[in-house]
Amino acid sequence: MKYNFDEIIPRKGTGSIKYDKMNVFFGTNDLQPLWVADMDFATPDFILKDIETRLSHPILGYTMRKPGFNQSFIDWMQKRHAWKIKQEWLDFSPGVVSALAVAILALTQENDKIIIQTPVYHPFFDVIEGNNRTLIDNPLKVNEKGHYQMDFELLENQIDQKTKMMIISNPHNPVGRVWTKKELLRLGNIAVKHNLIILSDDIHSDFVYDHHQYIPIAELSPEIAQQVITVTAPSKTFNVAGLSTSVVIIPNEQYRELFRKKMSTLHLFLGNIFGATAFESAYKNGEGWLDQLIDYLSNNLDFAVDYIQQHIPKIKVHKPEGTFLLWLDFSDTGLSHTQIKDKLINEAKIALNDGKTFGKNGEKYFRMNVGTPLANLAFALEKLKRHFS
Ligand SMILES: Cc1ncc(COP(=O)(O)O)c(C=O)c1O
């Protein structure tokens, strides 16, 4: 079956955060939204059909996840990413971010230090600081070509007795790196050496382009696996973020028990019927759909990067290795961060994520989500050209 990702589906009025909550963040709803990281494509038909089938039974009482839930994910990870996961390593979480928060509560104490690599997905700050842990920033290094790398030297210097954990994003939101085996091995070995727990947020792992390859850090060696908690979900891949259903992989038995205990005391383990149905359906049936989606997104990314490089050279950009997000560098425009933001909202009338929410080093950057029909993307790029070239 050939899927149609060009179809424009109106979302205004559905309660979509991306469309209906712009006024809270941008002061108006009258913008073209390319911010929140969900996609403007229909959730695949096979998922909607399985939800409809479940809905045809009129009772929606307390419902457990069936054995096919875990198995569908195990098979997916084996097929798509060559990672052999054992049943007993798996746990449920409503969200990826809630799993990060639960892991922090379960495995660290107040005032313990937790490292992140800015610029990075902003809720990482909230789950650390909001839970009274100390945030340590290990900023990514960026070269003049806009290529980001981990700063291992600084990292080793930052780790002390109070440093218990590190949260990574693989592929990295917002800079689009897909961490290589070499980088992850180096990081994993540092974690083993210093008994550092790595929370690996791999929610974007199904979005990888060209020759790049997603590698789960826990897959690199049994020793490294003991230090890693991986969290992922079908929510980005299959556009089902509104169904709040994620998965946690914890090979270390002691960490797994502590995580489960915290999930239990917070009473977060139940989940919802439609999320469970969608999860299983996605991972069982989703390969063909995802392959077509990746082609479409890759084309969108190429189109946007070519367009910007050709028509708006003051904005620096390159194709991300993974994710469906472009990290736009406006520093050559000669404008201040506030001026850029003002122009985006009041003149170009497009809603992009403010780079400063990802960390101090996001100054003069804005993040653009290309998970939208090409016609929408082209329209937004034309407006950017009109106001920034
Ligand atoms: C890196 C990353 N982690 C987590 C999430 C959100 O996950 P959840 O909604 O399951 O908490 C996002 C969404 O944009 C993300 O980009």
Side-chain angles (χ1 to χ4, degrees):
M1 175 164 174
K2 177 97 180 81
Y3 290 96
N4 177 12
F5 297 103
D6 286 323
E7 186 186 358
I8 309 246
I9 305 173
R11 297 183 68 187
K12 265 194 182 159
T14 61
S16 147
I17 293 176
K18 191 178 188 178
Y19 283 77
D20 295 331
K21 218 177 166 184
M22 277 188 287
N23 55 340
V24 175
F25 294 89
F26 301 93
T28 170
N29 266 340
D30 183 28
L31 304 177
Q32 187 186 355
L34 298 146
W35 61 308
V36 175
D38 69 16
M39 301 184 288
D40 296 325
F41 308 127
T43 298
D45 57 333
F46 47 88
I47 296 181
L48 297 177
K49 195 165 143 287
D50 284 351
I51 291 176
E52 273 168 26
T53 304
R54 178 58 188 86
L55 195 52
S56 65
H57 188 286
I59 299 178
L60 305 176
Y62 290 120
T63 302
M64 60 185 201
R65 287 175 287 281
K66 297 186 185 145
F69 182 92
N70 278 356
Q71 196 56 49
S72 65
F73 178 72
I74 290 171
D75 294 344
W76 179 267
M77 293 308 278
Q78 166 77 59
K79 258 187 307 190
R80 300 285 299 193
H81 305 303
W83 187 17
K84 283 192 175 54
I85 293 175
K86 293 193 178 146
Q87 277 281 355
E88 65 262 27
W89 296 352
L90 291 179
D91 241 304
F92 160 83
S93 165
V96 165
V97 177
S98 40
L100 302 178
V102 171
I104 287 171
L105 289 172
L107 299 168
T108 66
Q109 308 290 325
E110 289 208 356
N111 302 319
D112 279 351
K113 294 181 182 172
I114 303 179
I115 300 174
I116 59 170
Q117 298 170 308
T118 62
V120 79
Y121 182 55
H122 34 95
F124 288 8
F125 297 75
D126 305 334
V127 289
I128 296 171
E129 295 180 325
N131 288 307
N132 302 322
R133 272 59 174 174
T134 304
L135 188 148
I136 303 295
D137 187 8
N138 175 239
L140 296 174
K141 295 191 289 190
V142 59
N143 67 17
E144 61 293 342
K145 288 192 179 141
H147 186 75
Y148 282 85
Q149 283 183 314
M150 295 190 190
D151 189 341
F152 293 105
E153 288 77 23
L154 177 62
L155 178 64
E156 289 241 57
N157 284 329
Q158 285 174 319
I159 298 173
D160 64 18
Q161 298 229 314
K162 287 293 258 179
T163 318
K164 297 288 160 55
M165 201 175 249
M166 174 162 183
I167 312 180
I168 65 168
S169 175
N170 184 26
H172 188 100
N173 171 10
V175 308
R177 280 297 317 281
V178 178
W179 302 116
T180 61
K181 187 170 182 177
K182 194 170 164 212
E183 289 168 313
L184 292 171
L185 252 182
R186 189 161 173 195
L187 182 64
N189 289 332
I190 292 174
V192 170
K193 181 172 156 200
H194 296 279
N195 194 22
L196 192 69
I197 299 170
I198 294 190
L199 301 185
S200 191
D201 175 344
D202 295 11
I203 196 168
H204 291 278
S205 54
D206 289 311
F207 300 101
V208 172
Y209 308 102
D210 308 324
H211 63 281
H212 299 286
Q213 196 195 346
Y214 157 69
I215 295 166
I217 183 169
E219 187 256 346
L220 291 178
S221 78
E223 293 73 31
I224 294 174
Q226 290 298 305
Q227 300 299 129
V228 178
I229 294 180
T230 307
V231 192
T232 189
S235 46
K236 302 274 170 221
T237 312
F238 297 99
N239 215 21
V240 289
L243 293 175
S244 293
T245 303
S246 311
V247 67
V248 187
I249 306 126
I250 316 180
N252 182 311
E253 194 179 340
Q254 186 200 351
Y255 294 163
R256 199 161 63 231
E257 287 313 311
L258 289 166
F259 182 88
R260 284 192 180 148
K261 202 162 157 214
K262 188 55 75 180
M263 283 294 281
S264 168
T265 53
L266 293 169
H267 216 84
L268 276 174
F269 48 80
L270 192 59
N272 73 87
I273 297 173
F274 301 117
T277 304
F279 182 104
E280 195 175 328
S281 178
Y283 287 134
K284 265 191 189 149
N285 309 309
E287 284 212 271
W289 183 86
L290 180 61
D291 289 340
Q292 291 184 37
L293 173 70
I294 294 295
D295 284 347
Y296 194 89
L297 289 172
S298 184
N299 183 61
N300 271 9
L301 289 166
D302 286 333
F303 177 84
V305 170
D306 287 350
Y307 188 96
I308 292 168
Q309 287 177 345
Q310 209 180 322
H311 300 290
I312 331 171
K314 282 186 203 152
I315 301 177
K316 286 181 280 182
V317 68
H318 60 271
K319 186 178 184 182
E321 298 167 356
T323 81
F324 49 88
L325 308 165
L326 282 176
W327 187 231
L328 305 176
D329 175 359
F330 286 76
S331 55
D332 283 354
T333 57
L335 303 170
S336 70
H337 187 86
T338 313
Q339 286 169 325
I340 300 161
K341 191 170 174 168
D342 187 63
K343 233 170 143 54
L344 285 168
I345 298 173
N346 297 311
E347 295 178 27
K349 296 217 169 281
I350 55 179
L352 305 183
N353 287 84
D354 183 331
K356 280 213 283 198
T357 59
F358 298 84
K360 283 200 286 287
N361 44 3
E363 168 123 30
K364 298 194 183 172
Y365 286 82
F366 287 80
R367 193 193 74 176
M368 177 187 271
N369 171 354
V370 307
T372 196
L374 182 60
N376 273 347
L377 180 63
F379 182 53
L381 291 168
E382 259 175 52
K383 291 188 287 183
L384 259 192
K385 175 182 161 193
R386 208 172 313 138
H387 297 283
F388 286 93
S389 58

